[in-house]
Amino acid sequence: MNRKTFRENERLIGADEAENAKSCRRQLSACFLASLMSLSAGTVITGWSPTEGSMKEDDLKKWSTEQESWIISIYVLGALLGALPAGFLGQKYGRKSLLLWLAGPMIVGWLLCLLRLESLFLECLGRFVCGISVGATTVAVPLYAREVSSDVLRGRTGVFLDFMLCAGILYAYVARTVLQGVRQFCLACTVVPIMFVVLFLYVPESPVYLYNVGRYDQAASALRWLRGRRFNVKNEFDKIETSKCHDDELFERGGKMSAENKKFLTRVTIISFGLVLVQRMSGAGGVIQYSSTLFKISGSTIDPNTACIIVGTFQLVASGVSFLFIDKVGRRTLLLISSAVITACLVLLVAYFRFVENNTLVDSPWRMSLLIILCVFISAFRLGLGPIPWFISTELSPALYGGRIQSMAASFSWSLSFVIMKSFKIFVEANPVLLWCSFAAFSAAGFLFVLFYVPETNNKSREQIHLELIG
């Protein structure tokens, strides 16, 4: 084996309960700080949603519906572009380095929006540049979390991406309502990536990356920072080396892949892309982006901005519940519960907007039920279908292919998101019943997909998951 032999100090091995608790806190803290970029991404996702709040200035131009749809959705094209090379860049230059670099386009993008001066081009350019960072973040954060976490924490650290996205969405909802100008709002959003850079500088690089590039002493230091000074580094190095050998065994001599391993990678790809399809076609992205529009269309008496903040709070709480239970009840169980409740809520939305079309709910207290349905819908989404598709491919994939599959799945996700963002308002204003029927059908099919095709990955090593998928 052509690698440096790491000498473990046997007297340091072993850990007590306090050391283990500190280790868990260190790992969770590292992933939390990495996910501050996800919080910044959340401000981009919902920062330019239609609003009737106090975000009004003399230079705030009233865009047409077509122009508005481009301003809102253009960041998704940037996200698609940013996600594609993120896995390769993270593997070549390091997960931490990539995340720090991503703060750059996020800051530049918000500054462009700040200087827009009624220019549709600058508005879209700023959103597009922010989107590049958003897309790459959805690849880099799960990869970093996967490599700094022990198996028992992997679910919770994986949920951080979605939890902080929710926090960023709520932050933007509140900021755009409270702040008195667009420029103040843009400055408030620019602060987040700056704060991320300052805090994340003190967190170690992924020990897996450091080991793979031959920086063994730094990898050992990173592991001891994350897992405690008494952690058995040599055993962890052996696990990383075994994982590398396992990846090498995917290919036979001559660079060809066996039928068994082709089946394995095919199933990993189908599961990763299938869950992304189910996630996006639930319609949750449109609901988050156009919440205020939905309340205006329904004729609800609730102030649209207040309703958005309520919905944002519910989804943040639900994501927190997912964080608490994902390593206890498992990924598959949460996906099934999430898909079932989402399907039921979509059926209720079909009925609700059918009544609205027939003017059955005029002056009826049942108009308030839209807020309840949307809160339950978005909470169910954040419980399972929101966070899990973002990181499950890193659990299913071999280490060698994790970055590539994550990049492709994220790019596919953002492609679907662009189509939905660009067309959602048009369809929801033209024929909301048909739109919700379509989403309900996809969601029901997604429940069956999870039930019959998606395995449980909770507390399982890559080798165990591999054996289960080819079995």
Side-chain angles (χ1 to χ4, degrees):
M1 186 182 296
N2 245 342
R3 68 185 182 96
K4 175 180 174 180
T5 301
F6 181 81
R7 294 183 178 274
E8 183 66 90
N9 187 337
E10 300 292 340
R11 290 177 297 176
L12 290 179
I13 297 176
D16 54 23
E17 188 174 338
E19 187 78 13
N20 287 333
K22 183 178 179 181
S23 167
C24 289
R25 288 195 297 270
R26 285 282 183 94
Q27 293 172 65
L28 292 172
S29 297
C31 295
F32 176 82
L33 292 176
S35 298
L36 285 176
M37 275 304 296
S38 305
L39 190 150
S40 188
T43 65
V44 177
I45 289 171
T46 198
W48 242 251
S49 303
T51 180
E52 300 297 320
S54 58
M55 258 180 57
K56 292 174 181 171
E57 285 187 349
D58 293 337
D59 68 338
L60 181 57
K61 184 175 179 178
K62 294 293 184 182
W63 307 107
S64 68
T65 301
E66 176 66 18
Q67 290 172 326
E68 183 185 82
S69 70
W70 274 107
I71 293 173
I72 290 172
S73 61
I74 192 68
Y75 84 90
V76 182
L77 292 179
L80 170 61
L81 182 65
L84 281 171
F88 167 77
L89 292 174
Q91 188 170 340
K92 184 173 179 61
Y93 298 106
R95 318 303 196 195
K96 178 184 176 181
S97 299
L98 175 61
L99 282 166
L100 289 171
W101 295 344
L102 294 179
M106 186 68 77
I107 294 169
V108 170
W110 278 116
L111 290 177
L112 284 172
C113 291
L114 182 69
L115 302 171
R116 56 191 178 76
L117 301 176
E118 292 192 3
S119 168
L120 179 64
F121 172 75
L122 282 180
E123 195 90 67
C124 288
L125 179 62
R127 294 273 292 164
F128 179 83
V129 173
C130 283
I132 293 174
S133 180
V134 172
T137 295
T138 57
V139 177
V141 170
L143 290 173
Y144 180 81
R146 174 68 179 84
E147 293 181 357
V148 302
S149 308
S150 58
D151 287 344
V152 294
L153 291 177
R154 209 172 57 220
R156 278 171 279 178
T157 57
V159 169
F160 267 137
L161 169 69
D162 189 69
F163 179 80
M164 296 300 276
L165 278 174
C166 294
I169 289 169
L170 181 60
Y171 177 83
Y173 278 155
V174 173
R176 73 183 189 184
T177 303
V178 173
L179 297 177
Q180 296 300 312
V182 177
R183 285 187 169 84
Q184 291 182 23
F185 173 75
C186 291
L187 282 173
C189 294
T190 307
V191 167
V192 180
I194 295 173
M195 179 176 64
F196 160 76
V197 172
V198 172
L199 295 175
F200 195 58
L201 280 171
Y202 299 97
V203 176
E205 176 60 88
S206 157
V208 177
Y209 165 76
L210 293 171
Y211 179 90
N212 287 335
V213 296
R215 290 153 63 179
Y216 303 109
D217 289 334
Q218 292 179 44
S221 298
L223 281 169
R224 290 216 169 95
W225 190 94
L226 291 162
R227 309 285 180 89
R229 63 189 182 88
R230 294 181 179 275
F231 181 71
N232 192 327
V233 172
K234 186 176 186 303
N235 280 356
E236 189 67 18
F237 280 2
D238 290 340
K239 288 180 183 178
I240 297 172
E241 190 64 35
T242 300
S243 180
K244 287 177 64 178
C245 293
H246 186 266
D247 290 347
D248 293 339
E249 289 170 3
L250 286 174
F251 293 95
E252 298 172 339
R253 290 183 180 179
K256 294 182 179 180
M257 188 178 293
S258 67
E260 184 181 80
N261 287 323
K262 282 182 181 178
K263 175 186 175 183
F264 164 64
L265 284 178
T266 299
R267 190 170 179 191
V268 168
T269 305
I270 291 173
I271 292 171
S272 300
F273 279 69
L275 286 177
V276 164
L277 181 64
V278 176
Q279 179 196 57
R280 289 303 187 187
M281 295 309 294
S282 68
V287 170
I288 294 167
Q289 201 80 61
Y290 291 100
S291 292
S292 61
T293 299
L294 291 174
F295 284 102
K296 285 186 284 183
I297 291 172
S298 71
S300 173
T301 56
I302 304 172
D303 175 67
N305 285 307
T306 302
C308 287
I309 292 172
I310 293 171
V311 171
T313 303
F314 266 83
Q315 69 174 338
L316 181 63
V317 171
S319 187
V321 172
S322 178
F323 171 81
L324 293 175
F325 286 98
I326 193 164
D327 284 321
K328 296 178 181 178
V329 302
R331 287 64 152 151
R332 187 171 179 273
T333 302
L334 287 182
L335 283 171
L336 288 171
I337 294 172
S338 178
S339 297
V341 176
I342 285 172
T343 303
C345 288
L346 288 169
V347 172
L348 290 175
L349 284 173
V350 171
Y352 181 91
F353 279 94
R354 172 64 72 184
F355 287 137
V356 169
E357 283 185 350
N358 296 335
N359 295 320
T360 308
L361 297 180
V362 176
D363 299 324
S364 169
W366 286 103
R367 279 190 180 276
M368 291 280 292
S369 63
L370 178 63
L371 178 60
I372 298 171
I373 296 171
L374 289 184
C375 284
V376 175
F377 171 87
I378 209 68
S379 298
F381 179 78
R382 291 304 180 190
L383 184 66
L385 206 53
I388 295 173
W390 286 119
F391 71 85
I392 198 169
S393 64
T394 64
E395 295 189 313
L396 296 171
S397 309
L400 182 65
Y401 288 88
R404 302 181 208 180
I405 294 177
Q406 180 73 10
S407 290
M408 290 189 295
S411 298
F412 179 58
S413 175
W414 290 116
S415 299
L416 291 173
S417 181
F418 177 75
V419 174
I420 293 170
M421 294 298 120
K422 195 73 177 67
S423 59
F424 185 89
K425 189 175 183 181
I426 297 170
F427 282 109
V428 83
E429 290 178 346
N431 195 335
V433 173
L434 179 61
L435 178 68
W436 298 120
C437 277
S438 302
F439 285 146
F442 271 105
S443 186
F447 176 84
L448 296 176
F449 174 75
V450 174
L451 181 64
F452 293 110
Y453 205 74
V454 178
E456 181 57 76
T457 61
N458 190 30
N459 290 331
K460 294 179 181 177
S461 66
R462 276 196 169 108
E463 290 72 24
Q464 290 174 307
I465 295 169
H466 185 185
L467 291 174
E468 186 173 336
L469 288 177
I470 63 177

